[in-house]
Amino acid sequence: MSEMPNRKPETGAFFPRDRNWHPPAFAPGYKTSVLRSPQRALLSLDGTISEITGPIFGHSVLGELDNDLIHNFAKPGESAIGERIIVHGRVLDERGRPVSGALLEFWQANAGGRYRHKKESYLAPLDPNFGGCGRTITDENGYYAFRTIKPGPYPWPNGVNDWRPAHIHFSVFGHGFAQRLITQMYFEGDPMIWKCPIVNTIPDRQAIEQLVAPLDWANTIPMDARAYRFDIVLRGRRSTLFENRLEGN
Amino acid sequence: MAQELGYLKETPSQTAGPYVHIGLTPNFCGIAGVYDADLGSSMVNDRTLGERITIKGRVFDGAGAPLKDALVEIWQADAAGFYNSPSEIRGAADPSFTGWGRCPTSAEDGVFAFETVKPGRVPFKDGRLMAPHITFWIVARGINIGLHTRMYFPDEGAANDEDPLLARIEHRERVATLIAAREGSTYLFDIHLQGPEETVFLDI
């Protein structure tokens, strides 16, 4: 963890979450949510210092290959098998301001839809050169990028014939612990998106579209890797319009 | 037509899924050699100030079964009541304490554990002191959006009695769901996602 010098401390409380935009806790089409969803109402708490603060991670936590899933688990001179892609974008807050120094962690299945995890028993094989985890930190403009291979869809025991669309899991830290977010990125044009019970826990189609990364032809590298663009929006803070009100207005 | 305010919508949450460990604690699930150590696995070092404590617990579903695939993160002030965050403007936090920890629940018995220090008191928005507390964030397969809650200490009765958050809990018997049990230097804090013992979760 490290300090972020030359930055005015952010002390405003966060905008409340729009919990009609997020998926509800209880979404029976996704069967595991039935017993894992609170039934009582959440207790609302307008940001105290315990929520407006949060850990910040310095670049010192990153290894050289942390943002290259094609190579960070591969044997020397080898690489993971599959469609080579770059995933990149910006992390912004709800006010459209870049979130710099944000730690992003991502994980995914390999090109055949197989996760490297002992609880996973799908018959598609592991790729000996693919681990499936990566991380990076946004720059001063909120930009991030990583290289990976496009994950495959995989079947899961929810309905009799349910398949996840190709997806990459994202975990995001902003500057306050109340901004903590885990989500999934999907790929433009994948017909599996609209059949997925997990995607469909999100009630609003526009909200789902926010998770679908378009093919970014302009940033595709010829003879190397195609690019997908995925921007992420974290909660915004109330501005401090009056200097004597540190908690914001 | 009025002008548009131009606010963006927050990216919607999705479940962390059953394989969250691949991304967040790869060494824990046997993916060795990518990261030196799992992030958040150590909060203290030899120089950390304050009373050393262990926090242990499990996360139970609505049928009373412990979750063996959950991931728990905690965020807390140091022993003097300062957060190790750029947004902490009241003073400097202990540089030997991260304030943040991450632990998966065990695949065998569902237990999570943190080695940390007991936090000092921090102020509520109106300046009153809150009782010492630790913020919890729980994600897992079947949890569509991370659940926030707080752990308070059973040996802080007077502070708990004047805590502004605890005071806001309408059904008073539910206050107990946020207060850990003590066994020596270990605090036991079980979280119940659903049912008669359901933990109070927060919209923070």
Side-chain angles (χ1 to χ4, degrees), chain A residues 10 18-19 21-22 24 30 34-37 39-40 43 50 94 105 180 183 186 210 233 235, chain B residues 8-15 62 69 73 83 87 102 133 141-142 144 150 194 198 201 203-204:
Chain A
E10 298 168 302
D18 179 354
R19 290 181 181 269
W21 184 254
H22 287 285
Y30 175 27
V34 171
L35 282 175
R36 294 186 172 194
S37 44
Q39 293 168 320
R40 308 282 196 116
L43 180 66
S50 303
E94 289 168 291
E105 298 163 284
R180 199 73 184 83
T183 190
Y186 304 102
Q210 203 175 350
V233 180
R235 296 168 68 178
Chain B
L8 304 174
K9 293 298 287 186
E10 188 187 7
T11 296
S13 175
Q14 290 269 262
T15 179
D69 54 10
E73 291 185 3
Y83 282 99
S87 298
R102 169 185 282 170
H133 64 271
R141 172 173 69 100
N144 291 323
R150 278 186 183 183
Q194 191 185 89
E198 185 174 310
F201 294 105
D203 188 5
I204 66 173

Side-chain angles (χ1 to χ4, degrees), chain A residues 31-51:
Chain A
K31 293 182 179 178
T32 314
S33 76
V34 171
L35 282 175
R36 294 186 172 194
S37 44
Q39 293 168 320
R40 308 282 196 116
L42 303 180
L43 180 66
S44 294
L45 178 66
D46 189 21
T48 74
I49 191 161
S50 303
E51 293 79 37

Side-chain angles (χ1 to χ4, degrees), chain A residues 67-68 86-89 104 106 135-137 143-147:
Chain A
N67 66 345
D68 183 355
I86 293 164
V87 178
H88 75 121
L104 306 182
F106 13 86
R135 59 189 178 186
T136 191
I137 292 174
Y143 276 106
Y144 76 91
F146 62 96
R147 278 177 181 266

Side-chain angles (χ1 to χ4, degrees), chain A residues 1 3-4 9-11 13 15 17-19 21-25 27 30 32-57 61 66 72-73 92-96 103 105-107 115-120 131-135 154 164 169 171 173 175 177-178 180-184 186 198-199 201-202 207 210-211 231-235 237-238 246-247, chain B residues 6-24 26 28-39 60-63 66-71 73-75 83-90 98-100 102 107-108 122-125 130 133 135-137 139-148 150 165 168-171 173-174 178 193-196 198-204:
Chain A
M1 311 212 183
E3 297 299 315
M4 299 180 69
E10 298 168 302
T11 55
F15 299 150
R17 274 200 155 125
D18 179 354
R19 290 181 181 269
W21 184 254
H22 287 285
Y30 175 27
T32 314
S33 76
V34 171
L35 282 175
R36 294 186 172 194
S37 44
Q39 293 168 320
R40 308 282 196 116
L42 303 180
L43 180 66
S44 294
L45 178 66
D46 189 21
T48 74
I49 191 161
S50 303
E51 293 79 37
I52 64 171
T53 55
I56 291 287
F57 302 90
V61 307
D66 282 8
N72 70 6
F73 192 78
L92 306 167
D93 72 13
E94 289 168 291
R95 299 165 74 194
L103 175 69
E105 298 163 284
F106 13 86
W107 67 101
Y115 281 95
R116 186 173 287 280
H117 194 285
K118 55 178 174 279
K119 283 184 64 186
E120 159 72 282
C133 61
R135 59 189 178 186
Y154 74 91
R164 297 301 325 281
H169 296 264
S171 166
F173 286 84
H175 298 164
F177 203 58
R180 199 73 184 83
L181 181 73
I182 280 182
T183 190
Q184 301 182 30
Y186 304 102
I198 289 178
V199 171
T201 59
I202 300 173
Q210 203 175 350
L211 299 182
D231 289 342
I232 295 167
V233 180
L234 300 180
R235 296 168 68 178
R237 282 180 198 262
R238 295 208 289 269
L246 286 172
E247 295 291 337
Chain B
Y7 292 107
L8 304 174
K9 293 298 287 186
E10 188 187 7
T11 296
S13 175
Q14 290 269 262
T15 179
Y19 309 127
V20 58
H21 316 103
I22 294 173
L24 303 192
F28 170 83
C29 72
I31 299 177
V34 181
Y35 308 151
D36 290 341
D38 288 337
L39 208 59
F60 293 92
D61 72 13
L67 273 60
K68 297 175 179 177
D69 54 10
L71 184 98
E73 291 185 3
I74 62 172
W75 173 241
Y83 282 99
N84 192 346
S85 164
S87 298
E88 173 61 87
I89 57 170
R90 298 168 301 139
T98 67
W100 174 77
R102 169 185 282 170
E108 285 75 44
V122 300
F124 193 61
K125 293 167 72 79
M130 294 190 276
H133 64 271
T135 298
F136 274 66
W137 187 69
V139 293
R141 172 173 69 100
I143 296 177
N144 291 323
I145 181 166
L147 293 166
H148 285 279
R150 278 186 183 183
L165 181 135
R168 201 180 278 181
I169 298 174
E170 180 185 358
H171 301 98
E173 75 281 3
R174 301 194 70 210
L178 300 189
L193 298 180
Q194 191 185 89
E198 185 174 310
T199 300
V200 173
F201 294 105
L202 306 174
D203 188 5
I204 66 173

